[in-house]
């Protein structure tokens, strides 16, 4: 079977010979070499879909994103100090994308953060679309603890894929 695999790879412009020669370049693709995510790496995975600048919605989104940044710094600080955290970058990544590590060939496109409005008298939890790679956060979060509590409940309270 190994010989068939090599022959199949070589049928594409001698690809297996290239892999065998420059194996160190292909190591991240053919082996699982995930490392703990850092705040910087995690942040670079996402872009923010903002409302129009100067609007009330934009102002509320900026409040939420400030608390999001505070939360990410808090997680990073605890990781560096060797403390346990309620939420890890890997759990946030899994919640937003369905993957607990960055794929070897990266995601097909950048993940995004979008916003929704909380309805009066109710509390809607953050949610995601793992197919579209979108994390939805509520607008107007003014306290880091409030965002942490909402995300913790959403992450820990979800059943996950195939766990019904």
């Amino acid at each position: 079977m190994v010989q068939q695999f090599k022959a199949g790879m070589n049928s594409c412009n001698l690809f297996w010979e290239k892999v065998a020669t420059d194996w160190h370049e292909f190591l991240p693709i053919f082996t699982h070499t995930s490392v703990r995510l850092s705040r910087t790496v995690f942040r670079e995975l996402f872009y923010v879909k903002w409302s129009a600048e100067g609007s009330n919605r934009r102002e509320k989104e900026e409040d939420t994103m400030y608390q999001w940044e505070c939360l990410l710094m808090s997680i990073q600080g605890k990781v560096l100090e060797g403390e346990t955290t309620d939420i890890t970058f890997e759990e946030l990544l899994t919640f937003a994308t369905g993957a607990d590590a960055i794929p070897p060939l990266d995601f097909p496109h950048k993940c995004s953060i979008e916003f929704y409005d909380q309805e009066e008298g109710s509390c809607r939890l953050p949610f995601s679309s793992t197919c579209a790679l979108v994390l939805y956060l509520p607008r107007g979060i003014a306290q880091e603890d409030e965002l942490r509590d909402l995300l913790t409940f959403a992450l820990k309270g979800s059943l996950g894929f195939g766990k019904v």
Side-chain angles (χ1 to χ4, degrees), residues 66-145:
Y66 177 76
Q67 300 311 324
W68 172 256
E69 289 297 328
C70 290
L71 177 65
L72 295 182
M73 286 190 298
S74 174
I75 293 170
Q76 181 69 32
K78 287 184 179 185
V79 167
L80 291 175
E81 293 173 11
E83 297 177 25
T84 58
T85 61
D86 295 340
I87 302 172
T88 65
F89 292 124
E90 289 78 12
E91 288 173 325
L92 284 170
L93 184 66
T94 302
F95 184 72
T97 68
D100 61 353
I102 299 171
L105 297 176
D106 210 352
F107 292 105
H109 54 83
K110 276 195 144 207
C111 306
S112 68
I113 295 176
E114 296 185 27
F115 302 93
Y116 62 90
D117 291 315
Q118 290 284 24
E119 295 178 18
E120 193 69 37
S122 68
C123 178
R124 187 172 174 196
L125 296 175
F127 61 99
S128 65
S129 171
T130 56
C131 296
L133 304 177
V134 180
L135 174 63
Y136 295 91
L137 298 175
R139 284 184 184 90
I141 299 295
Q143 300 294 321
E144 179 186 343
D145 291 341

Side-chain angles (χ1 to χ4, degrees), residues 6-164:
K6 288 179 179 179
M9 294 281 282
N10 274 332
S11 69
C12 298
N13 292 326
L14 302 175
F15 185 62
W16 181 254
E17 289 182 21
K18 180 69 174 163
V19 170
T21 304
D22 298 323
W23 62 269
H24 55 281
E25 297 293 330
F26 292 93
L27 197 59
I29 296 171
F30 291 115
T31 59
H32 183 65
T33 56
S34 102
V35 294
R36 287 202 74 155
L37 291 173
S38 68
R39 177 179 162 263
T40 305
V41 170
F42 186 79
R43 284 184 75 233
E44 289 175 3
L45 295 173
F46 291 87
Y47 73 94
V48 180
K49 282 194 172 180
W50 299 103
S51 294
E53 200 165 333
S55 67
N56 290 340
R57 293 180 121 198
R58 175 67 176 256
E59 192 173 308
K60 289 180 180 181
E61 292 166 359
E62 289 172 355
D63 290 343
T64 296
M65 286 310 295
Y66 177 76
Q67 300 311 324
W68 172 256
E69 289 297 328
C70 290
L71 177 65
L72 295 182
M73 286 190 298
S74 174
I75 293 170
Q76 181 69 32
K78 287 184 179 185
V79 167
L80 291 175
E81 293 173 11
E83 297 177 25
T84 58
T85 61
D86 295 340
I87 302 172
T88 65
F89 292 124
E90 289 78 12
E91 288 173 325
L92 284 170
L93 184 66
T94 302
F95 184 72
T97 68
D100 61 353
I102 299 171
L105 297 176
D106 210 352
F107 292 105
H109 54 83
K110 276 195 144 207
C111 306
S112 68
I113 295 176
E114 296 185 27
F115 302 93
Y116 62 90
D117 291 315
Q118 290 284 24
E119 295 178 18
E120 193 69 37
S122 68
C123 178
R124 187 172 174 196
L125 296 175
F127 61 99
S128 65
S129 171
T130 56
C131 296
L133 304 177
V134 180
L135 174 63
Y136 295 91
L137 298 175
R139 284 184 184 90
I141 299 295
Q143 300 294 321
E144 179 186 343
D145 291 341
E146 182 182 359
L147 183 59
R148 178 185 288 112
D149 291 345
L150 287 171
L151 280 168
T152 300
F153 192 72
L155 269 66
K156 306 294 183 178
S158 63
L159 293 174
F161 291 108
K163 296 181 183 177
V164 177

